[in-house]
Amino acid sequence: MTNQVTLTQFIIEQQRGLPEASGTFTLLLNNIVTACKQISHRVNCGALIGVLGSAESENVQGEVQKKLDIITNDIMVRALDWSGSLGGMASEEINDPIQIPKQYPKGKYLVLFDPLDGSSNIDINLTVGTIFSILRCREGVEPEPEDFLRKGSEQVCAGFVLYGPSTMLVLTTGNGVNGFTLDQDVGEFILTHCNMKIPEDASEFAINMSNQRFWEAPIKRYVDECVAGSDGPRERDFNMRWVASLVAEVYRILNRGGVFMYPFDLRNPAKPGKLRLLYEANPMAFIIEQAGGACSTGRERVLDVKPTSIHQRVPLILGSKNEVERIVGYHRDMDGAA
Ligand code: F6P
Ligand code: MN
């Protein structure tokens, strides 16, 4: 029999090295994982159990919700609220922070999550995921909304689960990035991708080209140079991918490098980008940096952005270090010349 390491074993062995670890974090992660296994099952059954399609409601972002956006949000909340490990939660789908019901004790962590990332893909049977971010909080007290507004650099853990051909969990606790594949027969996540590292250079980019006319000059310059390929200043050909599912793009980049951009958009200055700082950009930035990549708004390291509201959006440029630094350099050139 091969010596398989389960996620539970991996986490317990990691926590053993930490003198202050009490088991609360392990319990919390275990509950997140249970929720994600339940979500994986629902996503997998799809039309068989009637979960596809629109819920005909809008979320706080003004986006039409899918039935699965609501179902997966409920699964996360119900798996997490009772455990005594959380002071509170915040979800991309819910207006205000979610309080822990009075009958349960409050704990020392906050969880922020996007229960179903890439949900526009759900009805066409493409990859979606769940993204989560864990912060510490003051124990035993009701968190104030401001308690959630913390820089990404304060995260103690971030991860995402990918519901694709395999269900996979990608996780960091600030000590590298590891990938686990769900063994559906046994119901356990098994360590399959140890210490994931992003190549520093890459020749693949991901961007929604239909927004091209709204981009700023540095993004236009970078993409033009990629498209010019071996005839242009980069002197090599580039490839392009766009899955329209952040979890899938980040997973690809973790495995073979590349850069993902959802940049600042001149369409609506009140919405400086599409992706949400607390539920998407911060957890992905923590993972990407831990895998040796870089993550920026174009003008600031994402993990250094001080949040001002829980549903704030930010421009997001992440991936292979040298490519991201090049794009940041193009922003610096433009801002310096202004
Ligand atoms: O959650 C937002 C999201 O679905 C991301 O997963 C994805 O990267 C992006 O939006 C896709 O955006 P667009 O609809 O512009 O292709
Ligand atoms: Mn999302």
Side-chain angles (χ1 to χ4, degrees), residues 114 117-118 208 211 242 244-246 260 262 274-276 280:
D114 176 356
D117 176 60
N208 184 342
N211 296 325
W242 186 250
S245 183
L246 179 64
F260 167 93
Y262 218 116
K274 179 176 186 195
L275 299 173
R276 293 71 170 183
E280 295 171 319

Side-chain angles (χ1 to χ4, degrees), residues 8-291:
T8 312
Q9 180 183 350
F10 180 87
I11 296 299
I12 287 177
E13 285 183 352
Q14 260 199 349
Q15 295 287 297
R16 237 178 235 151
L18 307 173
E20 74 279 12
S22 63
T24 311
F25 176 76
T26 308
L27 172 65
L28 168 58
L29 207 56
N30 220 36
N31 290 341
I32 294 175
V33 164
T34 300
C36 291
K37 286 182 198 167
Q38 291 171 347
I39 295 172
S40 176
H41 175 68
R42 302 289 200 292
V43 166
N44 200 254
C45 291
L48 293 175
I49 54 170
V51 292
L52 302 185
S54 165
E56 276 155 26
S57 55
E58 278 191 359
N59 69 8
V60 55
Q61 332 273 345
E63 296 158 341
V64 176
Q65 286 179 305
K66 301 279 184 187
K67 284 185 199 162
L68 267 171
D69 284 321
I70 297 170
I71 293 169
T72 55
N73 185 75
D74 289 350
I75 289 174
M76 287 293 279
V77 172
R78 269 188 278 113
L80 296 173
D81 63 3
W82 59 271
S83 70
S85 52
L86 289 182
M89 298 176 243
S91 165
E92 187 186 297
E93 296 298 329
I94 307 290
N95 221 337
D96 298 312
I98 302 161
Q99 295 185 343
I100 301 301
K102 293 274 176 287
Q103 67 266 36
Y104 301 129
K106 288 189 185 52
K108 59 182 174 185
Y109 294 105
L110 300 175
V111 172
L112 299 90
F113 56 85
D114 176 356
L116 196 67
D117 176 60
S119 59
S120 68
N121 278 331
I122 193 69
D123 296 338
I124 53 170
N125 199 20
L126 291 183
T127 297
V128 290
T130 299
I131 311 173
F132 59 91
S133 160
I134 303 178
L135 294 162
R136 255 184 243 289
C137 68
R138 292 172 295 144
E139 208 166 341
V141 294
E142 189 65 54
E144 301 292 329
E146 300 74 56
D147 290 323
F148 290 85
L149 304 180
R150 309 246 295 280
K151 288 184 182 175
S153 54
E154 292 186 42
Q155 293 171 101
V156 293
C157 173
F160 65 89
V161 175
L162 199 70
Y163 312 111
S166 304
T167 292
M168 288 204 62
L169 168 71
V170 173
L171 189 73
T172 186
T173 52
N175 193 14
V177 177
N178 290 284
F180 303 80
T181 305
L182 181 62
D183 181 334
Q184 305 270 6
D185 292 334
V186 180
E188 284 275 8
F189 278 99
I190 307 292
L191 179 62
T192 48
H193 294 62
C194 274
N195 199 17
M196 301 178 87
K197 287 288 171 217
I198 303 173
E200 289 194 350
D201 296 294
S203 302
E204 196 163 69
F205 67 99
I207 193 162
N208 184 342
M209 291 289 287
S210 69
N211 296 325
Q212 191 168 21
R213 68 190 188 284
F214 304 114
W215 298 340
E216 289 186 294
I219 299 293
K220 280 191 176 141
R221 175 179 169 193
Y222 179 78
V223 173
D224 282 350
E225 290 179 359
C226 291
V227 172
S230 53
D231 297 334
R234 302 299 305 273
E235 296 177 337
R236 65 179 197 268
D237 291 334
F238 280 71
N239 192 15
M240 199 204 85
R241 287 285 181 274
W242 186 250
V243 190
S245 183
L246 179 64
V247 281
E249 320 272 8
V250 168
Y251 188 70
R252 184 186 62 249
I253 289 170
L254 282 167
N255 280 283
R256 67 179 192 212
V259 29
F260 167 93
M261 294 165 275
Y262 218 116
F264 180 84
D265 206 311
L266 296 168
R267 244 177 310 184
N268 178 358
K271 276 191 191 169
K274 179 176 186 195
L275 299 173
R276 293 71 170 183
L277 177 58
L278 297 182
Y279 317 107
E280 295 171 319
N282 272 343
M284 291 314 196
F286 192 18
I287 291 166
I288 292 282
E289 284 200 6
Q290 283 292 315

